Amino acid sequence: MPKELKDDPLWYKKAVFYEVFPRGFYDSNNDGFGDLKGVTEKLEFLSWLGIDCIWLLPFYASPMKDGGYDISDFENVDPSYGTFEDLIELIDKAHSMGIRVISDLVVNHSSDQHPWFLESRSSRDNPKADWYVWSDDDSLYSNARIIFTDVENSNWAWDQVRQQYYWHRFYSHQPDLNYDNPEVQEVMLNVVKRWLDLGLDGFRLDAVSYLFQRNNTNCENLPETHEFLKLLRKEIDSRYPNRVLLAEVNQWPTDLVDYFGEDDECHMCFQFPLMPRMFMAVRREQRLPITEILSLTPNIPENCQWGLFLRNHDELTLEQVSDEERDYMFSEYAKDNRMKRHMGIARRFAPLVDNSRSIAELLHSMLFSLPGSPILYYGDEIMMGDNTYLKDRDSVRTPMQWTPDRNGGFSLANFEQLYLPPLMDPVYGYQSVNVESQFKNPGSFLQWIKKLITVRSNYQVFGSGKFEILHDDNPSIFAFLRYFEEQIGASELIEENTVVEVDNIEIIDQTSANKVLCIYNLSRFAQPAELDLSKYKGAKLVELSGRVLFPQITESPYRFTLGPHGYYWFEITDQI
Ligand code: NOJ
């Protein structure tokens, strides 16, 4: 039975998100490019998987020099992706299946092909002359770092037509909009309304920390940016209920949390600093990188939420780690230079973990239980591989592998027509790794992750509960509690839980379990753990996926043995 879309302003706190690159998901008209209709055709699959919200990468008109993040018309769908009607159909169908849809909104810049920029560059006194950031002096704002250091050597580019420099934080074909100009702010607010009026459930705000420039600053996280976000949020709150703003802000935790404001800016922010540390922790076989960054992360407003992810359509960014940590990550995870892109590693999840099923399970169960909402990247649910011979971040954007048939079931176009070649190597190629065969195989990673999504969705405590790290002397053991402070109708709920059978976990009611204990072994060897659970003396542990009862908690330390990369989720209950 498909889920229902509930009228719930905090839906994003419980949701599992799924990132779709429409170009690479499914090609409905067999022209070699994935499209919006293709996403609609695969909604059944996403509904079966159990995700709650799709995040669509940019589908707006674009010369596609940066995966669609170079927009030449903010108000229209790129013809290669389909039509306006295709988008409406996708949103409506997703909603009828209980799935929400958010999309990328590239607020910071446009393509240099955008008519606004063409007009702006045409003279120094045209009506849009100040819609972009122009200067005669390319030494202005010299404290701002260059983001794509491997391809750009300045944030200024010379324009032959206007005979001035223009400002760009990313590629030089992506000029930054000038937010000091009120017309720019207004036009962007109208873009936002246009798409929300169609029924979109919110936006991922791309590169939102770079909106303003001020001399003698690094031009990031400026107070003016926060003012604009407050304005945007106010507009949304006044007219559009149940929407979400997810900030893409690649910053240190203390700067990151400012983007929540006092629950009057973004509802969600990606947890950028945590992500590389999850990979670091598992390679070092120690919890420290994770616990350290969590201890440096301030609390966030009650209604706000972290967006947790392991991989996405970009490089595994190493901007938020120290120089030594970056060297370590490169030496461990990018053994070949061609795997390095910008300031990170352009590889997919499965090859990063050497295709290890046990590490994949460990990291995903952490992703699904740490404070935040998990965001999966298309293809990672089947452990798809990458192609590091492709340029830029195309290495992680190859066609979704649906079947073992021609082009991996992505498209019936000729191979030569495809936007990128599908993977065909013996380990990760579509003949071995695809949705169809994993769907049929109960032991597959796809089936495992579906079950993980179901278990998480059954326990609200993962989305909204509090978080407390439990100490263990063994540095390879990472244990924490997720809990609600008040005991909500525990006995009634447990009664419901007791009828649950191992193979039928779907029927557990959402609100059950006030306290969940999560425990992980980051080592490749079996490890003992001893936790002081004495404050729950008399309660019992029930393992969540199989609902297996474990011994009662006493005054003495509770002992566990975890297999290599082992993990458990337990409900702590005194109701059995
Ligand atoms: C962040 C996006 O995730 C990335 O793909 C893009 O290249 C930059 N922003 C520039 O828009």
Side-chain angles (χ1 to χ4, degrees):
M1 262 239 309
K3 280 190 272 215
E4 258 175 58
L5 219 55
K6 294 205 178 101
D7 176 20
D8 175 5
L10 297 181
W11 61 268
Y12 53 88
K13 292 200 73 163
K14 301 146 209 163
V16 174
F17 289 72
Y18 184 96
E19 178 186 357
V20 173
F21 175 46
R23 179 63 95 234
F25 205 53
Y26 185 62
D27 175 11
S28 74
N29 60 355
N30 300 317
D31 64 354
F33 298 88
D35 43 46
L36 293 175
K37 263 191 185 306
V39 182
T40 310
E41 286 183 30
K42 293 298 180 184
L43 282 172
E44 287 289 340
F45 165 71
L46 296 176
S47 166
W48 169 83
L49 188 59
I51 59 111
D52 303 286
C53 182
I54 299 171
W55 151 29
L56 286 178
L57 261 60
F59 49 73
Y60 317 95
S62 163
M64 301 287 169
K65 286 196 200 158
D66 180 18
Y69 285 92
D70 47 330
I71 296 175
S72 55
D73 180 355
F74 287 93
E75 305 228 330
N76 279 300
V77 173
D78 192 86
S80 66
Y81 277 139
T83 62
F84 221 63
E85 288 68 39
D86 293 343
L87 180 70
I88 297 176
E89 190 194 358
L90 165 57
I91 298 172
D92 289 350
K93 187 149 184 227
H95 283 175
S96 74
M97 295 170 143
I99 297 176
R100 296 181 206 254
V101 184
I102 66 167
S103 88
D104 247 285
L105 188 76
V106 186
V107 271
N108 181 65
H109 48 267
S110 74
S111 155
D112 61 1
Q113 301 306 305
H114 198 297
W116 299 341
F117 186 72
L118 299 180
E119 187 174 343
S120 188
R121 81 193 300 194
S122 66
S123 67
R124 294 185 184 206
D125 55 6
N126 67 74
K128 297 204 171 44
D130 291 333
W131 279 41
Y132 293 83
V133 184
W134 294 97
S135 171
D136 291 322
D137 176 8
D138 69 348
S139 64
L140 209 62
Y141 314 135
S142 55
N143 291 348
R145 71 194 163 114
I146 296 166
I147 296 166
F148 288 166
T149 39
D150 51 343
V151 277
E152 297 291 346
N153 49 26
S154 169
N155 286 323
W156 291 105
W158 177 251
D159 184 56
Q160 287 293 356
V161 183
R162 182 157 154 162
Q163 294 287 306
Q164 263 191 319
Y165 295 98
Y166 63 88
W167 181 253
H168 61 90
R169 290 312 296 264
F170 295 93
Y171 286 114
S172 58
H173 60 74
Q174 289 165 312
D176 278 30
L177 285 155
N178 177 16
Y179 275 82
D180 276 320
N181 183 336
E183 286 173 6
V184 168
Q185 297 203 13
E186 198 186 319
V187 84
M188 266 306 165
L189 291 177
N190 288 336
V191 166
V192 163
K193 288 179 205 154
R194 172 178 180 75
W195 297 109
L196 293 182
D197 283 337
L198 286 189
L200 271 182
D201 297 288
F203 298 104
R204 167 204 186 256
L205 298 176
D206 182 69
V208 77
S209 49
Y210 311 112
L211 301 189
F212 289 83
Q213 303 73 36
R214 293 290 177 264
N215 234 343
N216 301 321
T217 73
N218 65 0
C219 300
E220 299 180 16
N221 316 320
L222 295 174
E224 293 83 350
T225 298
H226 290 289
E227 268 166 45
F228 175 71
L229 283 173
K230 287 188 204 303
L231 178 70
L232 171 62
R233 173 69 182 266
K234 216 166 148 195
E235 287 284 321
I236 292 183
D237 283 353
S238 66
R239 292 180 48 183
Y240 303 97
N242 302 344
R243 310 299 164 104
V244 73
L245 291 175
L246 164 58
E248 193 240 356
V249 176
N250 192 350
Q251 300 283 338
W252 193 244
T254 38
D255 293 318
L256 204 43
V257 293
D258 289 344
Y259 286 82
F260 295 116
E262 287 168 22
D263 191 17
D264 58 355
E265 292 190 25
C266 298
H267 309 77
M268 294 181 71
C269 288
F270 288 104
Q271 231 298 13
F272 272 104
L274 175 66
M275 178 275 298
R277 288 172 175 83
M278 292 174 73
F279 287 96
M280 220 182 285
V282 77
R283 197 49 74 95
R284 288 194 168 146
E285 308 192 18
Q286 298 210 340
R287 65 174 177 255
L288 187 66
I290 298 176
T291 50
E292 196 174 54
I293 199 71
L294 291 176
S295 73
L296 294 171
T297 305
N299 289 335
I300 64 174
E302 185 82 16
N303 290 343
C304 294
Q305 181 70 313
W306 291 111
L308 304 180
F309 64 105
L310 287 163
R311 290 296 298 110
N312 61 22
H313 64 288
D314 285 328
E315 70 282 10
L316 189 168
T317 167
L318 297 173
E319 281 175 40
Q320 303 309 326
V321 298
S322 67
D323 290 349
E324 295 80 55
E325 288 170 330
R326 192 172 309 117
D327 288 347
Y328 175 77
M329 287 294 286
F330 279 137
S331 69
E332 288 297 319
Y333 286 110
K335 299 217 187 290
D336 202 308
N337 261 342
R338 67 169 193 276
M339 296 166 179
K340 297 181 188 166
R341 298 294 145 81
H342 309 316
M343 202 183 273
I345 305 169
R347 305 197 71 195
R348 266 199 179 260
F349 176 78
L352 280 167
V353 299
D354 302 325
N355 213 14
S356 156
R357 172 73 182 261
S358 61
I359 300 181
E361 289 191 11
L362 174 77
L363 286 176
H364 279 86
S365 16
M366 273 169 25
L367 185 78
F368 274 65
S369 57
L370 282 164
S373 294
I375 304 171
L376 294 171
Y377 181 48
Y378 88 96
D380 283 350
E381 73 277 31
I382 51 170
M383 293 190 70
M384 243 170 81
D386 51 38
N387 179 354
T388 56
Y389 291 94
L390 296 173
K391 67 173 174 42
D392 200 350
R393 290 147 293 170
D394 282 351
S395 47
V396 300
R397 300 177 185 176
T398 57
M400 177 70 175
Q401 297 171 191
W402 295 103
T403 70
D405 306 329
R406 166 167 153 213
N407 300 329
F410 161 72
S411 170
L412 291 178
N414 286 334
F415 175 81
E416 295 75 12
Q417 274 177 276
L418 301 182
Y419 76 101
L420 285 179
L423 301 185
M424 285 179 283
D425 70 270
V427 177
Y428 295 108
Y430 58 77
Q431 292 191 324
S432 358
V433 176
N434 62 71
V435 171
E436 185 184 285
S437 40
Q438 292 201 23
F439 179 81
K440 289 186 194 148
N441 172 8
S444 66
F445 189 66
L446 177 67
Q447 293 284 357
W448 178 85
I449 208 150
K450 175 188 163 56
K451 185 165 172 175
L452 186 77
I453 293 173
T454 310
V455 176
R456 180 191 157 102
S457 306
N458 282 334
Y459 295 95
Q460 277 189 13
V461 76
F462 287 119
S464 319
K466 297 209 177 317
F467 172 74
E468 182 191 332
I469 295 180
L470 300 178
H471 177 76
D472 190 296
D473 284 340
N474 182 341
S476 292
I477 297 293
F478 179 36
F480 55 81
L481 285 175
R482 301 301 315 274
Y483 64 98
F484 286 124
E485 240 136 22
E486 75 277 29
Q487 304 286 314
I488 41 167
S491 51
E492 267 168 57
L493 296 164
I494 291 304
E495 211 175 290
E496 204 160 343
N497 287 348
T498 50
V499 299
V500 170
E501 285 163 21
V502 178
D503 291 334
N504 191 9
I505 51 172
E506 271 90 343
I507 60 166
I508 304 175
D509 188 81
Q510 268 248 328
T511 46
S512 51
N514 291 306
K515 261 181 249 97
V516 169
L517 165 68
C518 304
I519 179 163
Y520 301 99
N521 173 11
L522 291 157
S523 157
R524 77 205 123 119
F525 303 112
Q527 295 286 338
E530 274 193 3
L531 296 177
D532 177 7
L533 299 178
S534 57
K535 69 174 166 183
Y536 305 114
K537 194 174 120 188
K540 287 184 181 146
L541 298 184
V542 182
E543 196 280 325
L544 285 196
S545 66
R547 301 221 46 94
V548 175
L549 195 61
F550 272 56
Q552 198 161 38
I553 299 169
T554 65
E555 285 287 355
S556 318
Y558 202 103
R559 298 206 165 89
F560 301 86
T561 307
L562 287 106
H565 298 132
Y567 56 90
Y568 296 118
W569 290 354
F570 293 109
E571 179 182 345
I572 301 181
T573 176
D574 47 15
Q575 304 294 323
I576 291 180

